[in-house]
Amino acid sequence: MAAALVPPPQFADASFASYRPDPEYPSQAAVRDAVEAFVATRPEPARRGLFGRRREPVQPARSGVYLDGGFGVGKTHLLAAAYHAEPSRKTFGTFIEYTALVGALGFQGTVDLLRGTSLVCIDEFELDDPGDTMVMTRLIKELSESGTRFAATSNTPPGALGEGRFAAQDFLREIQAMSDRFDTMRIDGLDYRRRAVDESARTVDDVAGALPDGSTTLDDFRAVVAHLASVHPSKYVALVEGLDAVGLTDVQAFTDQTDALRWVALVDRLYDAQVRIVASGTPLDQVYPQAMLDGGYRKKYLRAASRVVALSRAAD
C-alpha cells in the first residue's frame, strides 16, 4: 500500500528546475526556493556521547512546510518536486489516500507502516472534516516526533482564519499543535490552466461520436453522480484507472451539496490520471449554483472547475 503512494503520472518528472514561476508573482519563485532548501536540509543524525548515552538527532525548528494558495499556481508540482528530490524513503498521496490508509490498517498500523519515512507529502490537506483532520493531526504528531518531515498543500475553506493559515478556531488545540510544526508558505498567482478568463469547459452535441480512441466510458451524468454515493471516495482511484476518456451526457447543475462534493473528489482523481472529459449539457465548470459557491466549499468547487476546463480541452 505504501508503494502506491507516489505522485500522479503528470508529475512523474516534476522538479524544482521544471517549475516555471510567474515573474509577476515573486512568491512563486520564493516558495520554490524555500521548499527546495527545506528538502536539501538534512537533520543531524543521532550520535552516542562519550559514555554511551545516545543523543537525540537535532531536528529543524519546523518539521514541515505547508503550501497555501489559489488553484493552478503549482502547489502540487512543488510537492511532487520535493518528493523526487528527497533521496531517502518518502511517500506522496492526497489527504484522502492517507485517511483511507488509516481506515484500512488502523491508526497504529499506519504509524508502523510510515515510521522511518524521511518525507511524507500530503496533497490537498482537508480542513473541513473534523474526524479525518483529527486523525491526520495525530499521525503527523506521532511521525514527526520520530524524525519524519512533512510537506503539504492546503485546501483551506475561505473564512477559516484566512487562506494563509490553518483553521485553528475549528479544531483549536489539535490544529494549532499541528500548525506549530509547519512553516506556512503562501503562493500567489493566477490559474495557469485557464488560457482566458472567459474560457469554459468544452461541451459537444454528440458525446459518443466525440470520444477518442482508447479505453473510454459513456454514461448519463446524473447516473454517475448517483453511483458515487455508493462508493467510498478512497475507491475513486480504481474507478478511473486505465481510462483514456470519460463521456458524460446531459450534464446538469447540482442541487445537492453532498453530490457536488462527491463529484469534486472524482474530478480530482480524473485530473490526477489525466483522463479526458467529453460532455454535453451544462459546461462542467458551471454546475455549482451561486449558493454553493458562496459557502465554505468555494475553493474546492473553483479548483474542480479549473480542472474540468483543462480536461475537457485536453485535445485543443
Side-chain angles (χ1 to χ4, degrees):
M1 296 181 76
L5 293 172
V6 297
Q10 75 268 33
F11 296 111
D13 299 316
S15 67
F16 294 115
S18 65
Y19 180 73
R20 295 289 179 262
D22 187 335
E24 304 226 349
Y25 296 91
S27 63
Q28 293 188 10
V31 171
R32 177 201 58 193
D33 294 344
V35 175
E36 186 173 14
F38 169 78
V39 177
T41 302
R42 312 307 305 163
E44 183 180 324
R47 295 186 176 88
R48 294 193 178 278
L50 181 63
F51 302 104
R53 179 178 297 175
R54 184 177 177 83
R55 296 175 181 169
E56 292 300 316
V58 177
Q59 298 292 339
R62 301 287 177 125
S63 58
V65 289
Y66 184 91
L67 310 185
D68 182 46
F71 40 89
V73 296
K75 300 188 300 296
T76 301
H77 182 117
L78 291 176
L79 192 67
Y83 172 91
H84 293 305
E86 171 56 50
S88 302
R89 183 183 169 200
K90 66 279 187 96
T91 62
F92 182 108
T94 63
F95 180 91
I96 290 176
E97 287 176 300
Y98 285 108
T99 55
L101 198 64
V102 174
L105 301 180
F107 180 79
Q108 192 57 49
T110 303
V111 170
D112 293 341
L113 178 69
L114 297 179
R115 183 177 283 118
T117 302
S118 179
L119 179 68
V120 169
C121 299
I122 308 172
D123 200 18
E124 300 166 13
F125 203 108
E126 305 279 354
L127 291 179
D128 47 36
D129 186 317
D132 285 347
T133 303
M134 298 285 269
V135 167
M136 287 301 294
T137 59
R138 287 183 58 207
L139 186 65
I140 288 171
K141 179 178 184 295
E142 290 274 341
L143 293 174
S144 64
E145 289 179 351
S146 66
T148 296
R149 298 194 298 166
F150 293 83
T153 67
S154 78
N155 192 21
T156 312
L161 294 185
E163 289 185 328
R165 297 180 59 186
F166 288 92
Q169 290 300 317
D170 291 347
F171 309 108
L172 205 57
R173 287 175 298 185
E174 290 79 5
I175 293 297
Q176 188 60 55
M178 181 178 69
S179 67
D180 288 344
R181 299 175 186 273
F182 284 78
D183 281 322
T184 302
M185 302 177 183
R186 171 73 188 186
I187 307 178
D188 299 303
L190 302 175
D191 180 5
Y192 77 93
R193 285 183 289 260
R194 288 184 180 267
R195 290 186 289 274
V197 295
D198 59 348
E199 186 174 81
S200 187
R202 181 182 294 282
T203 60
V204 300
D205 293 327
D206 179 12
V207 175
L211 284 170
D213 294 333
S215 177
T216 64
T217 62
L218 179 60
D219 297 281
D220 176 78
F221 180 70
R222 287 168 296 183
V224 170
V225 172
H227 180 68
L228 293 179
S230 67
V231 183
H232 190 275
S234 64
K235 304 295 185 183
Y236 291 0
V237 174
L239 286 180
V240 306
E241 186 175 5
L243 290 178
D244 297 304
V246 296
L248 301 168
T249 59
D250 194 22
V251 173
Q252 298 181 16
F254 288 105
T255 58
D256 181 87
Q257 182 148 262
T258 301
D259 286 342
L261 291 172
R262 292 191 185 108
W263 169 249
V264 167
L266 180 65
V267 168
D268 288 339
R269 305 293 74 80
L270 289 168
Y271 186 76
D272 285 345
Q274 287 295 281
V275 178
R276 184 179 167 190
I277 298 177
V278 180
S280 66
T282 302
L284 279 165
D285 59 324
Q286 299 176 27
V287 294
Y288 312 107
Q290 192 61 45
M292 290 187 186
L293 292 175
D294 290 340
Y297 299 108
R298 176 181 176 84
K299 192 171 182 179
K300 282 189 174 184
Y301 296 141
L302 293 180
R303 185 187 74 233
S306 165
R307 291 181 167 185
V308 295
V309 168
L311 294 178
S312 70
R313 294 180 173 271
D316 285 7

